[in-house]
Amino acid sequence: MSDVPAGGPANGPAVSREEFDALFASVRTWGRWAAADRGAWNRVTAEHARRATATVRDGTVVPMARPWDTRPGPDNAKPALHYMSDLGDVQAPEPSVHKDFLAADYHGKAVTHLDALSHVAYRGRLYDGRAARDHVDAAGARFGAVSALGPLVARGVLVDLPAVLGVEWLEPGRAVHARDLVAAEEALGVTVGDGDAVLLRSGALRRRRELGPWNPDAASAGWHVHALPLLAERAVALLGGDGDSDVRPSPVEGLHSPVHALAVTAMGVPLLDNLDLEPLSAACAEAGRYAFLLVVAPLNVPGGTGSPVNPVAIL
């Protein structure tokens, strides 16, 4: 089920920078939409949202955010903050109140978050060919900010590859190819289509809970860049997963996160990172279906390059 030659590396085949640049040009959608800072979310119309609601049958609601993680670890170099700012000391008039403070450097491997189009630049360019230096500075992003996206209501599709392969998880470093997606569609009885949000389960959270944390910057299961043309052809609106979508080590010479560059910068497809897909995997298996209503509501942060989120699937 893989495009990797027998005996080749799990994250392969290797891709040269020249080949990557040709691939980038082939999937690029610059100039396609007037509301360019919404990118591929322009594909999701009111009709798409209405059709997505038709996937709801029994009303099972599955949240997909990981717990707010304040503990340092190999996959959490910059832990989130949570502390009490008011302990409710009784003062007139009643009632007393309790308050807390939250903060996170969320573009990492521990916080469930959405990457907006301003998050990734390639060769100095954001999505739609905008010069990054002209549109992002210390005050934030003036193009491609998360505030331009707003909430997404769309059909979600879970590509549950461990379930297809009969394994508990994909080992870190295992690339997912176009052939894997096609085989998963056949096995799971679902087809990725226009305006869909595609969520890739590698089983990373199950592996972490059973074997302990590791550094996903060094090794993670995820899409190989050769899978992106098929996802572009299917006209997806969003990619997400229990990692950050990229296989690591990267198969592309000189690029740490090539799928980020292809999806966000070339295709205008926002990314959902660090989802907990274990409950959704169980719910989809029990229901016998892998398409559902997906709701993603990022914080309205003007100039923000993304947002912590708690995406919800409704079956």
Side-chain angles (χ1 to χ4, degrees):
M1 279 180 57
S2 172
D3 298 327
V4 181
N11 69 326
V15 176
S16 70
R17 194 64 171 269
E18 292 74 20
E19 182 184 353
F20 177 82
D21 284 347
L23 186 59
F24 187 97
S26 73
V27 300
R28 193 168 56 196
T29 60
W30 296 0
R32 180 168 299 184
W33 294 291
D37 51 2
R38 288 178 55 79
W41 278 24
N42 282 288
R43 293 188 169 116
V44 184
T45 65
E47 178 59 21
H48 283 86
R50 187 196 67 76
R51 290 202 303 262
T53 64
T55 63
V56 178
R57 299 180 189 174
D58 55 28
T60 300
V61 177
V62 185
M64 289 177 277
R66 291 177 58 172
W68 197 253
D69 195 344
T70 60
R71 298 165 297 177
D75 55 352
N76 194 14
K78 297 179 180 179
L81 298 178
H82 178 211
Y83 62 81
M84 299 304 296
S85 58
D86 191 330
L87 291 176
D89 295 331
V90 177
Q91 297 178 359
E94 292 275 17
S96 59
V97 296
H98 306 90
K99 301 176 184 177
D100 52 353
F101 174 88
L102 294 172
D105 190 347
Y106 59 87
H107 282 302
K109 310 300 180 185
V111 176
T112 302
H113 67 271
L114 176 72
D115 290 343
L117 301 190
S118 55
H119 176 53
V120 183
Y122 181 61
R123 297 196 182 278
R125 298 284 169 178
L126 299 171
Y127 178 69
D128 212 43
R130 311 296 177 99
R133 66 177 179 273
D134 295 336
H135 292 87
V136 184
D137 57 25
R142 292 182 296 279
F143 171 82
V146 72
S147 53
L149 293 176
L152 177 75
V153 178
R155 190 180 84 135
V157 174
L158 179 65
V159 179
D160 196 340
L161 206 51
V164 172
L165 298 175
V167 298
E168 294 180 339
W169 54 72
L170 305 183
E171 283 297 331
R174 202 285 202 183
V176 177
H177 293 269
R179 289 176 57 188
D180 294 312
L181 173 58
V182 173
E185 289 176 317
E186 182 178 350
L188 301 174
V190 66
T191 301
V192 172
D194 173 56
D196 282 349
V198 179
L199 308 183
L200 173 64
R201 175 178 173 259
S202 71
L205 266 290
R206 180 170 179 177
R207 187 184 193 276
R208 186 182 190 276
R209 288 161 186 160
E210 295 192 19
L211 302 182
W214 71 95
N215 180 8
D217 267 332
S220 59
W223 296 106
H224 190 279
V225 294
H226 285 171
L228 272 290
L230 178 59
L231 292 165
E233 179 183 317
R234 300 293 184 84
V236 301
L238 176 69
L239 291 178
D242 48 14
D244 70 356
S245 293
D246 266 285
V247 65
R248 294 193 180 85
S250 167
V252 181
E253 171 190 350
L255 281 180
H256 181 258
S257 303
V259 169
H260 275 63
L262 290 177
V264 178
T265 314
M267 297 163 56
V269 173
L271 299 178
L272 276 176
D273 294 348
N274 311 323
L275 299 170
D276 184 351
L277 296 176
E278 297 309 298
L280 181 59
S281 173
C284 287
E286 182 177 356
R289 48 196 171 90
Y290 287 81
F292 43 85
L293 176 65
L294 177 69
V295 180
V296 184
L299 299 175
N300 187 359
V301 182
T305 63
S307 170
V309 288
N310 182 14
V312 175
I314 308 172
L315 282 77

